[in-house]
């Protein structure tokens, strides 16, 4: 038997608890007996921050992909696994492609138009989708965009052996910024990526570019983005993640005519796919194998 503490939001706790409790070798425990806790199934926005209270803890399984809130937590001395699963890939792909295509076929031109404007629409192959952060989710988005016909360029720390053209390094970044009609941000939040989109990088983008950030709010200098939108340095921004979440009611993004705000829903974790990843890591740990998708604390993601 293995003892699992579920530390998730109220919204998802009942479903994850039921799915785990149904496993014949799992006992659910609560934090009233810290000695009993062997695995914590966790969302990084939960109040539990001190893991040192669990002397028998073996690992922490995050059901989020982004673990920036865990990096630097010195009480975490056991392995941490992040979520990599099909549900996140599907969600992110649909979110990104939905926003890109809605913009690309100029839906806003026709909404309540009340006049016959039959100006030509471009084809996907006339446009470039640039993806900053060509990891698990960036590649899923890139593959979907390429399948529709967009030109796609990915960018990451190290170039990948992948059929989509992808690059690494500062020179390549300049090419991607200057060449993208749609700039997708799927970098993790680390010291290196903080305010990655700033006055300098925004100035390198195309005036017709649309920025879509589903990585983390910390990637974008919010004031610089508003200045760039107001000045016409870029055309539009779709933002799913913010420096402060929930986005404060008085924040200018809510009412900015060139900004669309979504409430961190680009790719929600789904029990139906996440549970298999949790199960696999329970088995990995029991068999003495390394965890799948273990977080590398030294690089910060
Ligand atoms: P991955 O770790 O698979 O991908 C991250 C990519 O970013 C990698 O390709 C990595 O390069 C690259 N990268 C990291 N740091 C740098 C840097 N300094 N310069 C250049 N490239 C860099 O993560 P995922 O694709 O699974 O997730 C990406 C992010 O998406 C998460 O960290 C999270 O913040 C966010 N997310 C948001 C969700 C939402 O609903 N809005 C849902 C899920 C995730 P390399 O491969 O070479 O290391
Ligand atoms: C995230 C997630 O990292 O929801 O944002 O998985």
């Amino acid at each position: 038997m293995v003892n699992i503490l579920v530390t998730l939001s109220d919204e998802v706790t009942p479903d994850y608890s039921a799915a785990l409790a149904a496993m014949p070798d799992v006992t659910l425990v609560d934090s009233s007996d810290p000695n009993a806790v062997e695995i914590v199934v966790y969302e990084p926005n939960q109040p539990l921050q001190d893991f040192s209270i669990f002397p028998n803890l073996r690992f922490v399984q995050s059901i989020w992909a982004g673990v920036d809130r865990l990096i630097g937590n010195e009480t975490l001395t056991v392995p941490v696994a992040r979520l990599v699963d099909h549900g996140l890939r599907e969600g992110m792909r649909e979110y990104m492609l939905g926003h890109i295509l809605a913009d690309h076929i100029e839906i806003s031109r026709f909404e309540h138009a009340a006049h016959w404007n039959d100006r030509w629409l471009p084809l996907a192959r006339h446009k470039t989708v640039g993806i900053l952060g060509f990891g698990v989710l960036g590649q899923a988005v890139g593959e979907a965009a390429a399948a529709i016909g967009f030109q796609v360029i990915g960018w990451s720390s190290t170039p990948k052996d992948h059929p989509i053209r992808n690059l690494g390094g500062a020179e390549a970044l300049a090419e991607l910024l200057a060449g993208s009609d749609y700039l997708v941000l799927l970098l993790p939040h680390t010291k290196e990526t903080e305010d990655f989109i700033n006055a300098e990088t925004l100035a390198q983008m195309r005036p017709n570019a649309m920025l879509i950030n589903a990585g983390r709010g910390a990637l974008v200098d919010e004031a610089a983005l508003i200045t760039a939108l107001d000045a016409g340095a870029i055309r539009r921004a779709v933002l799913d993640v913010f420096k402060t979440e929930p986005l404060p009611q008085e924040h200018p993004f809510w009412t900015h005519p060139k900004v669309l705000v979504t409430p961190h829903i680009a790719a929600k974790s789904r029990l139906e796919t996440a549970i298999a990843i949790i199960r696999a890591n329970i088995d990995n740990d029991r068999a003495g194998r390394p965890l799948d998708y273990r977080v590398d604390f030294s690089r910060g993601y």
Side-chain angles (χ1 to χ4, degrees), residues 63-68 82-85 88-89 91-92 95-96 132-140 155-160 167-169 173 185-194 196 213-217 219 240-241 245 262-269 299-301:
I63 67 155
W64 287 14
V67 287
D68 39 311
R82 70 186 193 98
L83 187 65
V84 173
D85 79 345
L88 284 180
R89 281 196 290 268
M92 192 58 80
Y95 177 91
M96 288 296 176
L132 294 182
F134 199 58
V136 172
L137 297 176
Q139 289 175 26
W155 187 81
S156 50
S157 298
T158 47
K160 309 283 169 262
L167 315 158
L173 174 65
L185 273 186
L186 279 171
L187 290 163
H189 172 203
T190 63
K191 279 197 200 82
E192 291 72 36
T193 62
E194 214 151 283
F196 199 84
N213 183 18
R216 280 291 180 260
L219 303 177
D240 186 54
V241 283
E245 294 182 9
T262 59
H264 199 144
I265 42 79
K268 286 271 207 191
S269 307
R299 67 175 192 176
Y301 59 99

Side-chain angles (χ1 to χ4, degrees), residues 22-281:
M23 295 178 186
D25 56 347
V26 168
T27 303
L28 293 187
V29 293
D30 63 34
S31 50
S32 63
D33 181 7
N35 288 315
V37 175
E38 293 174 297
I39 298 171
V40 177
V41 174
Y42 185 67
E43 278 179 306
N45 63 351
Q46 291 304 297
L48 170 63
Q49 296 297 324
D50 183 1
F51 293 86
S52 68
I53 60 173
F54 306 122
N56 297 311
L57 185 62
R58 299 194 54 75
F59 72 93
V60 173
Q61 173 70 59
S62 167
I63 67 155
W64 287 14
V67 287
D68 39 311
R69 293 190 193 210
L70 297 180
I71 303 296
N73 183 335
E74 287 175 1
T75 71
L76 264 175
T77 52
V78 295
V80 177
R82 70 186 193 98
L83 187 65
V84 173
D85 79 345
H86 204 57
L88 284 180
R89 281 196 290 268
E90 284 174 78
M92 192 58 80
R93 185 162 84 195
E94 290 174 26
Y95 177 91
M96 288 296 176
L97 265 292
H99 286 287
I100 290 171
L101 281 173
D103 184 83
H104 169 66
I105 64 163
E106 300 179 15
I107 282 186
S108 61
R109 162 152 67 112
F110 304 108
E111 264 169 356
H112 315 297
H115 72 284
W116 192 262
N117 175 356
D118 64 355
R119 181 165 48 85
W120 174 91
L121 282 173
L123 291 173
R125 66 182 151 81
H126 299 132
K127 301 229 182 117
T128 298
V129 176
I131 303 175
L132 294 182
F134 199 58
V136 172
L137 297 176
Q139 289 175 26
V141 170
E143 286 155 17
I148 286 172
F150 288 103
Q151 297 174 54
V152 180
I153 313 176
W155 187 81
S156 50
S157 298
T158 47
K160 309 283 169 262
D161 181 15
H162 189 281
I164 288 176
R165 180 166 176 251
N166 71 95
L167 315 158
E171 213 168 292
L173 174 65
E175 178 191 333
L176 189 138
L177 290 171
S180 298
D181 300 288
Y182 296 102
L183 186 68
V184 167
L185 273 186
L186 279 171
L187 290 163
H189 172 203
T190 63
K191 279 197 200 82
E192 291 72 36
T193 62
E194 214 151 283
D195 286 340
F196 199 84
I197 297 298
N198 53 37
E200 199 185 317
T201 43
L202 285 160
Q204 296 175 63
M205 290 173 65
R206 293 184 170 180
N208 79 321
M210 178 166 112
L211 174 74
I212 316 175
N213 183 18
R216 280 291 180 260
L219 303 177
V220 175
D221 176 337
E222 295 184 342
L225 175 58
I226 290 176
T227 302
L229 288 164
D230 289 343
I234 70 165
R235 184 172 53 85
R236 246 191 111 204
V238 173
L239 306 173
D240 186 54
V241 283
F242 305 90
K243 289 209 153 123
T244 305
E245 294 182 9
L247 186 64
Q249 213 46 55
E250 65 283 4
H251 198 289
F253 282 158
W254 283 116
T255 50
H256 198 289
K258 296 180 179 175
V259 175
L260 179 75
V261 169
T262 59
H264 199 144
I265 42 79
K268 286 271 207 191
S269 307
R270 284 156 222 276
L271 172 71
E272 61 183 294
T273 49
I275 197 72
I277 307 300
I278 302 172
R279 181 68 241 182
N281 271 339

